[in-house]
Amino acid sequence: KGGFKDRQELMKIKGFGPKSFQQAAGFLRIFGGSEPLDALPIHPESYAVAKSLQDSPDASEASNEALAVQFGVGVETMRDIRGALAEGAASDPRRQEAPMRIKEPGKKTTQVGSTAIDAQEEGITASQLTPQMRLLGVVKNVVAFGAFVDVGVGHDGLLHISNYPPELRWDSGRSGRSGPSVNDQVEVTVLSAERRQERGKDKWRIGLSMK
């Protein structure tokens, strides 16, 4: 039936009800549609606020805190709305991600001046991991206590914040420093690799460090 004209048309998808729409609408983009805001990371529930900001000549001079009180939304919500309006389509986080690591058949993964190895490329399994082994990895997820890194053995390892190098150590947001981001390519050292049985399947707990 062709592309969607606006986010509301998503409701016509079979099985896509109000709850799914509420949770997903802000992440879905409609480009060239009837509603310009559909191309931005702004949830439809905030469209009224976004349009009022666009029509208010004094809004650009006001603080997020003052505008949040004026429009009855949270400060973080107001910051997100203003950021999206200012940056436009460039605010799409996918544009900021590092490119995925893609292997080319027959081509070795090399890092100049590095001793880290690509476990997947070398056929190394989780059971063959040993402490102090240096591996190449890709950050798959970032959480409050650290990051999970794909090191090519079929089980992600945990890079705890206490094992970040000093230049990446989190400091509750006060120092301005931050940890690794999703899709970052990193070099890590294996601290431990323990096998566990869960529901009859092998699960590995792999500890990593970047120190």
Side-chain angles (χ1 to χ4, degrees), residues 4-74:
F4 296 102
K5 295 180 180 179
D6 56 48
R7 280 172 168 160
Q8 292 298 327
E9 287 196 339
L10 294 168
M11 294 291 290
K12 298 179 180 179
I13 300 174
K14 184 178 181 180
F16 197 88
K19 187 65 175 180
S20 297
F21 179 82
Q22 182 184 37
Q23 295 175 340
F27 297 99
L28 302 173
R29 309 284 191 271
I30 306 295
F31 295 99
S34 58
E35 173 54 72
L37 292 178
D38 285 344
L40 302 180
I42 298 176
H43 196 281
E45 293 177 346
S46 299
Y47 281 5
V49 174
K51 291 178 180 179
S52 294
L53 287 173
Q54 290 177 314
D55 295 336
S56 176
D58 300 326
S60 61
E61 303 298 328
S63 67
N64 289 322
E65 290 75 12
L67 290 173
V69 172
Q70 178 181 343
F71 291 100
V73 298

Side-chain angles (χ1 to χ4, degrees), residues 190-206:
V190 177
L191 298 178
S192 61
E194 302 176 3
R195 181 172 60 184
R196 295 185 174 188
Q197 282 282 326
E198 294 184 11
R199 297 180 181 180
K201 295 183 179 180
D202 284 343
K203 297 289 184 180
W204 286 84
R205 174 174 291 182
I206 303 170

